[in-house]
Amino acid sequence: MSRIIALLAALAALALPATRSRAAELVMFERVGCVWCARFDAEIAPIYGKTEEARAAPLRRVSLNAPLPADLSAIDPGAFTPTFVVVKEGREIGRIRGYPGDAFFFGLLDRILAGSGSGQGGS
């Protein structure tokens, strides 16, 4: 009887992540040699992890020089790099095409996050 209870508990634990709502993430589609990706890396990447935006949508980098991960197969990365796509529960919420510079990046991202219900940043 205790084995059955342990098995049911294990199955319930495995089912929880599938039923829980996944948080948003900021997917950065990038390419080797992309000058604007390098500029993002110099201006935003060092501080992004410390921002409210990062808490609402952690940064995930995806190289367009490799096959797309299976969980992003429904997302069109576009032709330009970098392209930033806010993804929540497997679907696109909004995107920023190209890197608009440090003066505009957080404002654009905040608008997307506010519209997604993921919470607004405030950097």
Side-chain angles (χ1 to χ4, degrees):
M1 182 69 162
S2 64
R3 286 185 188 183
I4 293 173
I5 292 172
L7 178 62
L8 289 174
L11 288 173
L14 290 173
L16 282 177
T19 60
R20 196 177 330 145
S21 175
R22 290 187 292 175
E25 64 182 347
L26 176 63
V27 179
M28 176 184 178
F29 292 102
E30 59 188 343
R31 234 182 222 108
V32 173
C34 168
V35 174
W36 292 100
C37 299
R39 189 164 165 201
F40 172 86
D41 287 343
E43 296 176 355
I44 302 294
I47 62 166
Y48 185 78
K50 302 170 188 167
T51 65
E52 292 293 322
E53 291 85 355
R55 284 187 274 290
L59 180 63
R60 175 181 177 190
R61 294 170 172 269
V62 176
S63 174
L64 292 180
N65 297 100
L68 286 180
D71 65 321
L72 296 177
S73 63
I75 306 295
D76 177 12
F80 302 105
T81 55
T83 294
F84 301 90
V85 180
V86 177
V87 177
K88 186 173 183 182
E89 297 178 357
R91 62 183 189 77
E92 179 175 333
I93 301 302
R95 72 174 50 211
I96 301 170
R97 289 177 183 86
Y99 172 59
D102 60 348
F104 296 103
F105 179 78
F106 284 109
L108 294 170
L109 181 56
D110 286 345
R111 273 203 325 216
I112 294 169
L113 293 174
S116 75
S118 293
Q120 186 171 0
S123 312

